Amino acid sequence: MSDTIEKIKCLIIGSGPAGYTAAIYAARADMKPVMYTGMQMGGQLTTTTEVDNFPGYAEGTDGTAMMEDLKKQAERFGTEVRFGLVTKVDLSDKVGGIHKVIVDETKHIEAETIIISTGATAKYLGIESEQRLIGGGVSACATCDGFFYKGQDVVVVGAGDTAAEEATYLSNICSKVTILVRKDFMRASKAMQHRVNKTKNIEVLYNTEIDEVLGSNVVEGVRAINNQTKETTDIAVTGVFIAIGHKPNSDLFKGVLDMDETGYLITKGKSTKTNLPGVFAAGDIQDKEYRQAVTAAGTGCMAALDAERYLGALE
């Protein structure tokens, strides 16, 4: 392990819209931010082929290109972007305290402020055909990608409020929405179930799972299996929306930072402040409601401003 300790004014853990926006604002405030991108540089948006709803891209763009634009912008103002994974943290609970971080199990860093933007990872079914067609018709975000399936038939997989919300959202865009529910009941709230049941172009298939996503390069349908009768049915669809939840990437901070029962970091009021002074959280790591690139970017801006004000108050 390296004996050299690097001292940093503002450390950003994680990339994506939140991290890069925080970096832009922090760099412009002369906080000399250093970002460690994590293993997926640019975050989960890099798995999205088309981004049509982020302001400023009149003709749309793809997720990887957009993240590269944000990275270049952050670097233009002096952000040092590094590929690496934070593997251990020792966070101070004192105002003005120094937060100690280890990167890739070897590099020691001491930071005056930390902005956490490690995001959340969408849960997938894990079958080969689904993984192969992510970005080719398989999505984990209806509000991100639903527009591309206007007037088409799609499938939603899931049984909770998220699945019900995704299905009702898609029902306003698509010709037909089929919800595949693994058990013989939905876990969604009664209000959401009533909304689903009252929507004419939504069909719910219970005791049903995806056996295979059909198609070579793009989704052409799904092979559904009834887990009671073992009968299979091919359903012709062009889009498959997986709505079985997200896992916040917060394991590193368990027992250190306040988080809810599912692992989302809890921030104070309308700020990005965590329960420890000088530590801020932005993007999907603390937002389980909206989970959009533009809202993540907004909280990235807030985190940098919160960090700047925190340091200013120490002077």
Side-chain angles (χ1 to χ4, degrees):
M1 188 171 287
S2 171
D3 293 327
T4 305
I5 298 174
E6 183 180 9
K7 299 182 185 299
I8 291 173
K9 184 176 284 190
C10 179
L11 173 66
I12 300 171
I13 304 175
S15 44
Y20 284 133
T21 304
I24 291 166
Y25 275 80
R28 285 168 58 87
D30 201 28
M31 293 165 66
K32 299 178 174 57
V34 172
M35 170 190 285
Y36 278 94
T37 64
M39 300 313 291
Q40 187 176 17
M41 184 181 288
Q44 65 175 329
L45 206 68
T46 58
T47 65
T48 302
T49 53
E50 295 180 82
V51 178
D52 245 4
N53 55 1
F54 196 89
Y57 290 92
E59 302 302 322
T61 183
D62 70 75
T64 301
M66 186 176 125
M67 290 303 95
E68 186 61 29
D69 286 344
L70 289 179
K71 176 176 176 285
K72 288 177 181 176
Q73 189 174 3
E75 289 176 328
R76 180 163 70 91
F77 293 114
T79 302
E80 188 171 342
V81 178
R82 302 174 182 173
F83 183 76
L85 185 68
V86 173
T87 49
K88 188 176 181 181
V89 296
D90 180 10
L91 305 180
S92 172
D93 59 0
K94 296 179 174 59
V95 174
I98 298 299
H99 306 292
K100 299 176 181 179
V101 168
I102 296 176
V103 179
D104 294 329
E105 299 183 351
T106 58
K107 184 172 179 58
H108 286 254
I109 289 174
E110 292 186 350
E112 295 177 50
T113 60
I114 292 178
I115 295 173
I116 302 166
S117 56
T118 49
T121 303
K123 295 179 182 178
Y124 286 94
L125 302 172
I127 58 179
E128 185 279 329
S129 53
E130 168 210 50
Q131 296 296 301
R132 178 169 48 81
L133 289 168
I134 290 174
V138 174
S139 169
C141 181
T143 50
C144 306
D145 300 326
F147 173 82
F148 302 111
Y149 302 91
K150 188 174 184 180
Q152 301 173 45
D153 293 354
V154 299
V155 154
V156 172
V157 179
D161 279 347
T162 299
E165 288 169 4
E166 299 264 276
T168 52
Y169 174 84
L170 289 165
S171 69
N172 295 314
I173 301 169
C174 303
S175 294
K176 183 179 180 182
V177 180
T178 304
I179 306 178
L180 305 185
V181 178
R182 187 164 50 93
K183 296 184 178 180
D184 60 357
F185 63 92
M186 289 192 76
R187 292 182 291 101
S189 64
K190 293 298 182 185
M192 288 306 302
Q193 290 188 53
H194 290 322
R195 190 184 302 179
V196 164
N197 292 332
K198 288 193 295 186
T199 306
K200 293 181 179 179
N201 62 335
I202 295 179
E203 180 182 10
V204 183
L205 300 180
Y206 294 98
N207 296 313
T208 304
E209 302 176 49
I210 288 183
D211 185 53
E212 184 180 358
V213 182
L214 306 175
S216 299
N217 299 312
V218 296
V219 171
E220 297 173 4
V222 298
R223 179 161 297 130
I225 183 169
N226 183 297
N227 54 34
Q228 300 296 305
T229 66
K230 305 305 178 185
E231 181 183 353
T232 60
T233 307
D234 287 359
I235 305 172
V237 293
T238 53
V240 178
F241 292 87
I242 310 298
I244 57 176
H246 288 72
K247 183 186 182 301
N249 302 319
S250 61
D251 288 352
L252 191 64
F253 309 102
K254 282 183 177 174
V256 180
L257 296 177
D258 289 346
M259 55 184 70
D260 69 11
E261 66 281 356
T262 52
Y264 287 93
L265 297 186
I266 296 171
T267 50
K268 297 180 180 179
K270 294 182 179 180
S271 78
T272 61
K273 299 174 184 175
T274 68
N275 58 299
L276 293 183
V279 180
F280 310 90
D284 288 9
I285 190 66
Q286 54 86 54
D287 172 26
K288 60 183 178 182
E289 291 294 327
Y290 302 103
R291 294 196 300 264
Q292 299 297 300
V294 69
T295 52
T299 56
C301 162
M302 291 164 60
L305 294 176
D306 285 341
E308 180 187 4
R309 290 166 184 166
Y310 169 79
L311 290 173
L314 297 176
E315 294 176 356

